[in-house]
Amino acid sequence: MIRHTVVFNLKHPAGSPAEAAFLADAKVLAMIPGVEKFEQLRQVSPKNDYAFGFSMEFADQAAYAGYNDHPNHVAFVRDRWETEVSKFLEIDYEPL
Amino acid sequence: MIRHTVVFNLKHPAGSPAEAAFLADAKVLAMIPGVEKFEQLRQVSPKNDYAFGFSMEFADQAAYAGYNDHPNHVAFVRDRWETEVSKFLEIDYEPL
């Protein structure tokens, strides 16, 4: 199991329609084959300044690679992530 | 639900007995009342340089506060975390 997470901030004002649209449209990622346990999260620790997180799991590296290369993921990164996200950090986990 | 995560590096060499001892001894945290779904994880993304992660969930802020204030947590942070961890980032999530 690989858990892929990304914590991020949007360029949009908090509570704006553009923020809501980004989060709603990002659900297309959950439909990509191999994606399990897709979650949209609010980052709530005062010890960092990120606002949102996505988390998903893959059975193995092949499923993860299939997601990365999927046209819907490539298009979302190119058309939305790269233009609407101001700051992010990817963290991936495997069981120890 | 609050998911408390921390991604971190140890001062100990990779694969060392001191590294293994830290991870084994950290399991005391899983026994603190209110802690659910405690996980010890290996950070595997090449996009950051952290090596390990812990993840746990709490039912609510009261359970999280009870964990933070628990003597076993306070002692672990004071006696092990502050002396053996070189770098860390806490990220906490709630469902969006």
Side-chain angles (χ1 to χ4, degrees), chain B residues 3-61:
Chain B
R3 183 177 303 147
H4 170 52
T5 76
V6 59
V7 63
F8 64 96
N9 289 322
L10 291 171
K11 297 176 182 175
H12 309 304
S16 65
E19 176 188 87
F22 179 90
L23 296 168
D25 293 347
K27 291 179 182 173
V28 68
L29 301 175
M31 307 302 168
I32 294 174
V35 173
E36 301 172 26
K37 299 185 182 178
F38 181 84
E39 295 176 291
Q40 294 189 324
L41 302 156
R42 187 175 299 282
Q43 201 297 118
V44 295
S45 173
K47 297 179 182 178
N48 72 68
D49 64 358
Y50 292 106
F52 297 106
F54 293 161
S55 178
M56 63 197 78
E57 294 186 5
F58 300 101
D60 52 32
Q61 285 287 352

Side-chain angles (χ1 to χ4, degrees), chain A residues 29-43:
Chain A
L29 302 176
M31 306 303 167
I32 295 175
V35 173
E36 302 172 26
K37 300 185 182 177
F38 181 84
E39 295 176 290
Q40 293 190 324
L41 302 156
R42 187 175 299 282
Q43 200 297 119

